[in-house]
Amino acid sequence: MSSISKLAVIGLGLIGGSLAKALKINGFAGNITGYDLSFEDALRGVQLGIVDEAVATLSEAVEGAEIIIVATPVRSLSSVFSELVEFLPKTAVLTDVGSVKGEVVKAAQMALGDQIGQFVPGHPIAGSEKSGVSAADETLFQHHRVILTPLERNDPEQVELVRRMWECAGAEVIEMAIRHHDEVLAATSHLPHLIAFSLVDTLAGEDDNKEIFKYAAGGFRDFTRIAASDPVMWRDIFLSNRDAVLKVLGHFSEGLSKLQKAIETGDEMTLSGVFTRAKSAREHFSKILELKSYTTMTNQNVTFTVRPGGSVQGDIRVPGDKSISHRSIMLGSLSEGITEIDGFLEGEDALATLQSFRDMGVVIEGPEKGHVTVHGVGMQGLKKAPGTLYVGNSGTSMRLLAGLLAAQDFESEMIGDESLSKRPMERVAVPLRLMGAQVETGDGGRPPLRCGGGQALQGIKYEMPMASAQVKSCVLLAGMYAEGETVVTEPAPTRDHTERMLRGFGYPVSRVGDEIKVVGGGKLTATKIDVPADISSAAFFMVAASITPGADLLLRHVGINPTRTGVIDILKLMGADITLSNEREVGGEPVADIRVRYAPLKGIHIPEALVPLAIDEFPVLFIAATCAEGTTVLSGAEELRVKESDRIQVMADGLSALGVQTLVKDDGIEITGQTIAGGEVESHGDHRIAMSFSVAALRSEGEVTIRNCANVATSFPNFVELANEVGLSINVVAD
Ligand code: S3P
């Protein structure tokens, strides 16, 4: 841009004026000449310091200009181009700001003839309901996109120049094909304007229009703000982007008629379906675009700084069990009737499962303070999702869903965030293929995971090569759709929530020794589910209390399913003081209140049989081992290397950063009790690593800083709040 000595803006309205103003303020040193049909407006531009000079004719404006921006309404472009072609300097680049590109390019071709290569079509995705040069705003394009739709005959250097001009005004520049641009804009900008104009006009024509406008509060105001936009500009846009607008308007009209009919016939399901899907859609799509884990998080990175020391006292309930929350949505969706869920984990992983079923047409209300209502569609009632299913950080969603999707009569594809995209998926693809399903994974057997539709599945007998509840569940879920018996053998007991919940929904599952069996062709009947607090989340506090002198903590309503209580057994073997009370069964799952008091810990050899029963709790158990006297030895735990991060290596690296030396092995680690100095740790976006090192600070000498902690929200959204309530001191810094 520094080489440009003259830039001409033709049409000094909101967009032309704002661009000129932004360029000036951001240091463009050349001359900016303004031309407008209204010379008065051009002069006003000079008075406001937006342009250097106002001229009365087009020829004066373009003379000697290196960049010419035509910022007039789209339908005037044809005549502006025809008029200026006569004076267009051979080396100048010409660009526009029109919201429609197809018609504009056609008009430019007609008018410019051989000089068409000088025209680089552009469109800033920014605007305001205000118009005119007085409304010019230098921040209008900041952090907004500008779409260029370059022509084959453009000189790449000239395209680059237009790009740099917009970047100088603060915009992010992207390129798109003309047709694609017009379709995207028809849907995202043109249609909403049309609806706003129509709504205001319709209401203004009602007999009691004054009343309507008098009492129309926030909703009407927000929704119709854009109806105050420039009518000429918008008339032109609709006439110029006719086909794309008519296509999307047709879809919208169908949607509106569907709602009209639902209201007439009192069809609650259709109304709830549309509203619940729409409510979550905006957030959902923005997460997919960013390939971040699921909802609620900000885009910012999050660092925890944890003050050393602290106490652990109190009486708390940690959020709902993640594994059970996932399964409650899956089975509730496939059941007949309405399933009411309480205690649902409103963490991003479980929300990813919930969104996937919404995408497949299931009406799900909530979550609202842990309550979710699922309107089951029956075993055959899922519909093809409109696009790819996005499951964020959640391995459980992808692996369990694979079993269900493989059996549907439609095709589907699942993708996830950066961490999930590195995790092994062949472990579920292999048995599903043996059942006759068509399943594809990406490079190295990782996501995306694609399931072809319409395959008849056969029951199989599958001996799992690893102790994985996710693989077991995937095969059992597919088994409900398969012909005959499906039998899964596990090398060691793994969590059995799928089996328990299937029985709760009235689907028979039998277990003999290490073999679990379902017979295909059954059905699920809706039920009520009370999700206990997650023992994996409680584990952070069990270790926190065990290592902190004077600690005394009560954890309420924790799930103590025997396939999950490895962490209690291991801590007790290390000498922890843990007592269970108020033991009861809730909806097929045992729960208890757990009291943990400080007790000096000692190192142990962790029995390998306990590994699958404490698989998610090892990161925090490594902290317990660091605070114990003597050496703790873990083996048979290679599965830890394929979790949200390589949890053996990442914990060893983090401990080392805090001054703690460990001995890493392929399938485990040896940790000898020693002092934790403090320092800075990288969590690699793994929620359990981030929380474990927060707990470590209770016994560190210096502060512990933990990077990349946003994903704590995947399993434990209120971790920091609860931790600080019991006596830790975690400060959250968003950077
Ligand atoms: C889970 C099973 C475990 C566990 C994960 C949840 C489940 O994974 O690590 O957090 O809900 O079935 P694997 O089955 O891969 O061990």
Side-chain angles (χ1 to χ4, degrees), residues 686-702:
D686 183 333
H687 52 137
R688 300 202 196 278
I689 303 284
M691 291 186 275
S692 299
F693 282 113
S694 307
V695 170
L698 283 164
R699 288 280 295 267
S700 68
E701 288 176 339

Side-chain angles (χ1 to χ4, degrees), residues 322-323 327 396 399 427 467-470 495 615-616 643:
K322 183 152 78 79
S323 294
R327 288 156 172 85
T396 310
R399 298 205 179 112
R427 53 178 58 200
S468 164
Q470 293 182 353
R495 64 188 69 187
I615 193 70
D616 290 336
K643 294 295 177 189

Side-chain angles (χ1 to χ4, degrees), residues 499-535:
E499 296 94 301
R500 284 175 187 254
M501 202 182 285
L502 278 171
R503 290 189 199 109
F505 277 86
Y507 203 109
V509 183
S510 58
R511 177 176 193 120
V512 181
D514 53 6
E515 289 188 352
I516 305 114
K517 184 174 88 183
V518 292
V519 178
K523 67 169 194 156
L524 300 164
T525 306
T527 186
K528 252 182 89 54
I529 294 176
D530 181 349
V531 183
D534 197 329
I535 189 166

Side-chain angles (χ1 to χ4, degrees), residues 495 534-540 542-543 563-568 570-571 610-624 640 647 688 692:
R495 64 188 69 187
D534 197 329
I535 189 166
S536 298
S537 299
F540 298 104
M542 289 185 210
V543 171
T563 59
R564 295 286 296 281
T565 44
V567 61
I568 298 180
I570 293 170
L571 283 172
L610 289 178
V611 170
L613 311 182
I615 193 70
D616 290 336
E617 288 69 71
F618 283 106
V620 78
L621 283 169
F622 292 180
I623 303 300
L640 289 180
R647 286 184 175 159
R688 300 202 196 278
S692 299

Side-chain angles (χ1 to χ4, degrees), residues 159-223:
V159 177
E160 185 54 28
L161 191 57
V162 177
R163 170 187 288 273
R164 274 191 277 125
M165 174 189 76
W166 282 112
E167 284 171 353
C168 177
E172 183 200 339
V173 179
I174 56 169
E175 292 186 15
M176 233 183 227
I178 291 174
R179 197 188 151 108
H180 188 208
H181 169 276
D182 286 356
E183 285 182 355
V184 169
L185 267 290
T188 56
S189 166
H190 305 170
L191 181 64
H193 278 83
L194 192 77
I195 298 166
F197 283 127
S198 168
L199 178 66
V200 175
D201 183 52
T202 305
L203 296 192
E206 301 276 314
D207 290 344
D208 52 355
N209 60 10
K210 278 210 200 65
E211 283 287 281
I212 291 170
F213 283 86
K214 188 163 155 200
Y215 296 114
F220 178 79
R221 253 205 320 272
D222 290 351
F223 188 80

Side-chain angles (χ1 to χ4, degrees), residues 336-511:
E336 287 168 23
I338 297 175
T339 292
E340 302 283 354
I341 307 166
D342 278 304
F344 183 80
L345 169 65
E346 295 183 41
E348 305 199 350
D349 279 9
L351 290 172
T353 291
L354 190 153
Q355 182 63 39
S356 295
F357 281 88
R358 271 194 186 136
D359 287 348
M360 290 189 284
V362 183
V363 176
I364 304 175
E365 295 170 67
E368 191 65 55
K369 297 202 181 94
H371 188 82
V372 180
T373 305
V374 186
H375 297 260
V377 294
M379 294 296 286
Q380 310 298 335
L382 295 181
K383 296 199 186 84
K384 185 174 165 47
T388 297
L389 294 168
Y390 182 67
V391 295
N393 193 249
S394 176
T396 310
S397 308
M398 191 172 283
R399 298 205 179 112
L400 268 60
L401 262 168
L404 295 174
L405 295 179
Q408 304 304 314
D409 57 11
F410 51 82
E411 288 174 12
S412 32
E413 181 183 60
M414 286 184 282
I415 57 168
D417 72 357
E418 200 187 323
S419 148
L420 185 56
S421 300
K422 292 187 197 138
R423 298 180 64 188
M425 291 299 146
E426 275 296 304
R427 53 178 58 200
V428 289
V430 167
L432 291 173
R433 285 187 203 117
L434 292 174
M435 297 177 88
Q438 217 182 51
V439 182
E440 272 174 45
T441 57
D443 284 352
R446 303 189 174 96
L449 192 147
R450 291 189 196 91
C451 295
Q455 315 294 315
L457 303 190
Q458 286 294 324
I460 53 165
K461 202 163 179 330
Y462 189 63
E463 285 192 21
M464 279 197 297
M466 73 289 284
S468 164
Q470 293 182 353
V471 176
K472 171 178 68 176
S473 303
C474 167
V475 178
L476 293 177
L477 293 176
M480 295 193 295
Y481 289 89
E483 204 186 308
E485 276 182 15
T486 296
V487 182
V488 185
T489 311
E490 36 183 19
T494 66
R495 64 188 69 187
D496 64 358
H497 304 298
T498 304
E499 296 94 301
R500 284 175 187 254
M501 202 182 285
L502 278 171
R503 290 189 199 109
F505 277 86
Y507 203 109
V509 183
S510 58
R511 177 176 193 120

